[in-house]
Amino acid sequence: MLLRLEEFCSLTDMIRSDTSQILEENIPLLKAKVTEMRGIYAKVDQLEAFVKMVGHHVSFLEAHVLQAERDHGAFSQALRRWLGSSGLPSFRNKSSTPAPLPFELPALYRTEDYFPGDAGDAPRTPSRRRHRRV
């Protein structure tokens, strides 16, 4: 019986030492990781908002492209003549297109405004700046 009591006491001492090690070493590490993860979660939220905004801009520009295709015609004149000669009535009775309206570029966002840290990392070249603007 005394031997079992000794085993039980050594087991409780081992549990206490493990608990104190967890409280002294692992809990502060976990708190640091939680703080780090909060920053990562904030960045993910910002990226989600950015992707949503870009999606709205893409939809807006897509609507502009579709409108421009309707206004200016997506087919070339030669293709229209070829299709008109095939006997399709929709192309045969097509009136000539009016003079194209001037296109105004809508106000767009700049990626550098949303990711200022990336602007200093990469060397700026005219072609890179042109492609990153959406």
Side-chain angles (χ1 to χ4, degrees), residues 3 12 20 25 27 35 37 46 49 53 59 64 75-77 87 92 101 104 109 114 120 123 126 130 132:
L3 182 61
T12 57
S20 65
E25 295 174 8
I27 297 286
T35 305
M37 290 303 293
Q46 290 173 345
M53 187 226 15
S59 297
H64 269 69
F75 297 115
S76 68
Q77 290 298 329
R92 209 178 318 137
L101 299 172
E104 291 184 29
Y109 68 93
Y114 292 91
R130 193 177 330 121
R132 290 189 64 174

Side-chain angles (χ1 to χ4, degrees), residues 72-88 90-92 94:
H72 302 290
F75 297 115
S76 68
Q77 290 298 329
L79 184 60
R80 283 183 193 274
R81 274 187 251 124
W82 180 74
L83 288 173
S85 66
S86 68
L88 293 174
S90 63
F91 287 102
R92 209 178 318 137
K94 192 84 166 180

Side-chain angles (χ1 to χ4, degrees), residues 5-20:
L5 182 62
E6 257 183 59
E7 286 177 2
F8 178 74
C9 286
S10 67
L11 185 62
T12 57
D13 286 341
M14 188 171 64
I15 290 172
R16 281 188 195 132
S17 69
D18 286 349
T19 304
S20 65

